[in-house]
Amino acid sequence: SQKIEQNSEALNIQEGKTATLTCNYTNYSPAYLQWYRQDPGRGPVFLLLIRENEKEKRKERLKVTFDTTLKQSLFHITASQPADSATYLCALDYNTGGFKTIFGAGTRLFVKA
Amino acid sequence: GAVVSQHPSRVICKSGTSVKIECRSLDFQATTMFWYRQFPKQSLMLMATSNEGSKATYEQGVEKDKFLINHASLTLSTLTVTSAHPEDSSFYICSAQTSPQTQYFGPGTRLLVL
C-alpha cells in the first residue's frame, strides 16, 4: 500500500544546531513534495515545495532535498531557534488524473534554548 | 499572503445535532477547497474536494450524507456534520487552492460531540 513515513518520535535539539527531519515514501511517483509547519491546534502553514526533477531547494534557513531513487526527502533547519519548535509535515502530490495530496503524520521538533 | 479563515474555531455540541463549519478565502478566490480531518498525532486525512458550483467529490469511506459540503461562492465553502456522534469529534481543517501546487490552510475547527 502507499505510505508516507515520518519519524513519530520527537526530535530534540539545542538552539543553534541544524535540525534534520526525514520523509520516506513507498509506491508513489510524486510530481512534487511539500513541507508544512503545524503548531498545536492550528492549520498547516506552507514552507517549501520541491519538484521531482529538483534535487535541492532553499529558503532562508530552510533546505529541502528530494531523492526520488531513495524515495526520501530531508528537511533541514539551520541555526535553529526555539521559535522553530513545531510539528513539520511532509506532503506528496501525485497525479491520478487530477493532483492529490497525501500527508505524513509529521515529526515534532523541540528546540531548546 | 493568502489568508483562509474558519468559523467557528471550536464547537461543542450534543450527540444527534448538526454543526456547520465555514471556510472562507479572505483575499483571493478559490475554485477548489479541500476539507480534512485530523485526529491527535495523526496525519491530515482528506475528506472531500469542494469545487465552486458543483458537487463535492468525497474520498472513499467518507459518508456524503453525513458530511454535507456546499461551495456556493468562490470564497466560501461550508461543511455540515449532520447527526453528530462522539466519534465525529476531531479537528477539521479546510484549505483553498490557488494553483495545482499550492494550498492555503485555515486555522482549523475543533469539534467535540458530547
Side-chain angles (χ1 to χ4, degrees):
Chain A
S1 63
Q2 299 166 328
K3 204 189 295 186
I4 299 176
E5 291 183 344
Q6 293 187 257
N7 195 338
S8 59
E9 291 183 17
L11 177 63
N12 291 280
I13 65 166
Q14 198 66 38
E15 182 177 13
K17 300 292 186 183
T18 296
T20 298
L21 288 75
T22 305
C23 174
N24 294 297
Y25 60 94
T26 58
N27 297 336
Y28 287 113
S29 293
Y32 39 90
L33 185 149
Q34 303 185 59
W35 283 89
Y36 289 82
R37 169 184 173 139
Q38 187 176 24
D39 291 284
R42 308 291 294 174
V45 175
F46 171 75
L47 296 175
L48 277 170
L49 178 151
I50 187 166
R51 301 179 192 280
E52 60 179 333
N53 59 351
E54 297 177 313
K55 296 291 186 187
E56 182 179 296
K57 203 82 168 280
R58 292 176 184 261
K59 180 183 174 183
E60 297 173 352
R61 294 185 295 112
L62 309 180
K63 184 178 86 171
V64 170
T65 62
F66 194 10
D67 189 326
T68 54
T69 301
L70 291 178
K71 295 186 181 294
Q72 180 182 78
S73 174
L74 299 179
F75 176 78
H76 306 273
I77 306 176
T78 59
S80 59
Q81 305 165 2
D84 295 326
S85 299
T87 296
Y88 290 87
L89 308 176
C90 164
L92 292 181
D93 290 71
Y94 62 103
N95 197 340
T96 61
F99 280 97
K100 186 171 255 191
T101 304
I102 305 294
F103 285 84
T107 298
R108 188 87 168 92
L109 172 67
F110 292 98
V111 181
K112 294 179 287 186
Chain B
V3 178
V4 176
S5 70
Q6 278 184 244
H7 178 80
S9 58
R10 57 178 64 202
V11 56
I12 300 173
C13 69
K14 292 182 179 180
S15 186
T17 60
S18 294
V19 174
K20 180 186 280 190
I21 302 170
E22 291 186 350
C23 176
R24 292 181 185 271
S25 55
L26 297 185
D27 49 3
F28 65 100
Q29 294 182 330
T31 53
T32 303
M33 290 183 172
F34 301 93
W35 286 96
Y36 296 83
R37 62 190 292 181
Q38 187 179 34
F39 292 105
K41 296 187 179 180
Q42 294 189 25
S43 61
L44 278 75
M45 297 301 296
L46 180 65
M47 299 175 66
T49 302
S50 169
N51 292 298
E52 187 267 337
S54 63
K55 290 184 178 180
T57 303
Y58 290 81
E59 294 299 301
Q60 194 173 10
V62 178
E63 299 175 56
K64 63 178 69 176
D65 295 329
K66 180 167 184 63
F67 299 99
L68 301 179
I69 291 172
N70 185 284
H71 194 156
S73 76
L74 289 172
T75 59
L76 173 64
S77 177
T78 61
L79 168 69
T80 301
V81 183
T82 63
S83 187
H85 289 98
E87 57 265 31
D88 298 324
S89 299
S90 188
F91 192 50
Y92 292 86
I93 308 173
C94 73
S95 72
Q97 189 175 58
T98 58
S99 67
Q101 299 91 340
T102 307
Q103 293 183 52
Y104 292 93
F105 285 84
T109 296
R110 176 76 59 193
L111 171 63
L112 176 62
V113 184
L114 302 176

